[in-house]
Amino acid sequence: MSEKSCVIAQPTFMPWIGWFDLADQSDVFVILDDVSFSKQSWQQRNRIRTPKGLEFITVPVQTSGRTGQLIKDCEIVNLFFLKKIITTLQANYSKALFFRENFEELIDLIENSSHSNKLVEINFCIIKWMARKLKVTTPTVLASDLNVGGKRGEHVAAICEAVGANHYLSTIGAEDYLKDDISTFNRSGIKISIHNYEHPNYAQCFSPFTPYASAIDLIFNEGPNASEIMRSGRRALRLLSSQSHISSEEN
């Protein structure tokens, strides 16, 4: 049986470069929009480089009386956040070498997608735009369109099966819960590999270099070199330790 890999990740607001590097290594990328929204998480905010270090930019969302709402149902509070994002990006990136050629395009995209009033629509449009700038061409699917059930590992395994994947590529942050749910993946014959990434240095507007900003930092500063720099941090995927007995031939 031939191998088909899948990455499943929540729709982060302006993700970091490692997020895109993982997506770049898969055959299909699933945006996990059918799970619960987490307040003050990466789903609604991310960090940019400023003279003071890394600072958050945030999309305000409706949370009062909406405990347990799914990401796909999460609505923004109003459009005033866009003005703050514009002024914040201008203040910190106006001197970046590739700011001018990317800024207006990004802001137009955020403004247009904001009229949907849905956080996932804003995030998904930004993700597709950033992926194009980073030359990530992996086909993308919304989990809500797959209509699969299960919780935690069962849900992830079901998504893999729905897209025909037998190799799941995961972020390192999910490793512990994957070990807890490993039997679900083993029953389905799904191999799990953990992302292995060393953040590369590149030109920033402020010194010293500070890693783990949104990928917009790399795009504004390095432009056409951004994709090559992103991929330079890639290291060999690591098989989940609980699955050390599974060989690639078995999948």
Side-chain angles (χ1 to χ4, degrees):
M1 181 180 178
S2 61
E3 184 172 280
K4 182 178 181 180
S5 60
C6 173
V7 167
I8 303 169
Q10 293 179 5
T12 297
F13 176 67
M14 290 191 179
W16 75 296
I17 59 176
W19 194 95
F20 286 102
D21 177 73
L22 183 59
D24 189 47
Q25 297 181 62
S26 66
D27 296 312
V28 60
F29 181 46
V30 180
I31 300 292
L32 191 65
D33 65 333
D34 60 350
V35 296
S36 295
F37 169 77
S38 298
K39 188 177 180 180
Q40 295 301 311
S41 69
W42 300 113
Q43 298 160 14
Q44 69 174 124
R45 64 179 185 173
N46 219 309
R47 299 175 298 186
I48 62 169
R49 182 70 167 96
T50 77
K52 299 178 181 179
L54 296 180
E55 296 189 2
F56 281 105
I57 52 174
T58 303
V59 180
V61 298
Q62 301 280 1
T63 58
S64 179
R66 301 190 182 195
T67 302
Q69 66 176 325
L70 302 182
I71 294 173
K72 68 183 183 68
D73 299 323
C74 194
E75 296 178 329
I76 60 176
V77 172
N78 52 55
L79 295 179
F80 294 133
F81 79 93
L82 183 59
K83 182 177 181 180
K84 184 174 182 180
I85 286 178
I86 290 173
T87 56
T88 301
L89 291 178
Q90 286 176 325
N92 292 287
Y93 288 107
S94 61
K95 294 182 179 179
L97 192 58
F98 298 96
F99 174 77
R100 187 179 299 274
E101 67 185 63
N102 288 295
F103 176 67
E104 289 189 8
E105 186 179 346
L106 173 63
I107 295 304
D108 286 345
L109 180 149
I110 297 175
E111 184 174 19
N112 290 334
S113 61
S114 296
H115 292 298
S116 69
N117 207 39
K118 290 294 184 68
L119 176 65
V120 69
E121 181 66 20
I122 297 171
N123 288 356
F124 194 30
C125 287
I126 294 173
I127 285 167
K128 289 189 288 186
W129 181 83
M130 295 174 86
R132 187 170 73 251
K133 294 295 179 178
L134 295 169
K135 300 178 182 177
V136 176
T137 59
T138 307
T140 306
V141 179
L142 288 172
S144 56
D145 290 338
L146 299 175
N147 195 30
V148 299
K151 295 182 178 179
R152 288 194 6 153
E154 289 182 352
H155 189 57
V156 171
I159 289 174
C160 289
E161 292 181 318
V163 298
N166 53 12
H167 187 189
Y168 174 51
L169 311 185
S170 172
T171 62
I172 191 169
E175 187 169 3
D176 287 341
Y177 100 76
L178 288 171
K179 288 179 180 178
D180 292 339
D181 294 346
I182 196 63
S183 60
T184 300
F185 294 89
N186 288 342
R187 284 196 301 270
S188 300
I190 299 171
K191 182 174 71 173
I192 301 174
S193 291
I194 305 299
H195 190 213
N196 189 9
Y197 194 77
E198 293 184 18
H199 202 297
N201 287 14
Y202 54 84
Q204 285 183 325
C205 292
F206 311 104
S207 296
F209 176 79
T210 304
Y212 304 111
S214 162
I216 198 63
D217 184 78
L218 176 61
I219 293 168
F220 281 161
N221 283 299
E222 294 285 0
N225 298 321
S227 60
E228 182 179 354
I229 293 170
M230 176 195 74
R231 293 184 178 98
S232 71
R234 184 177 302 177
R235 301 295 181 265
L237 294 166
R238 175 170 55 82
L239 188 66
L240 185 69
S241 58
S242 299
Q243 287 193 319
S244 59
H245 62 288
I246 297 180
S247 67
S248 59
E249 287 78 11
E250 291 178 304
N251 292 282

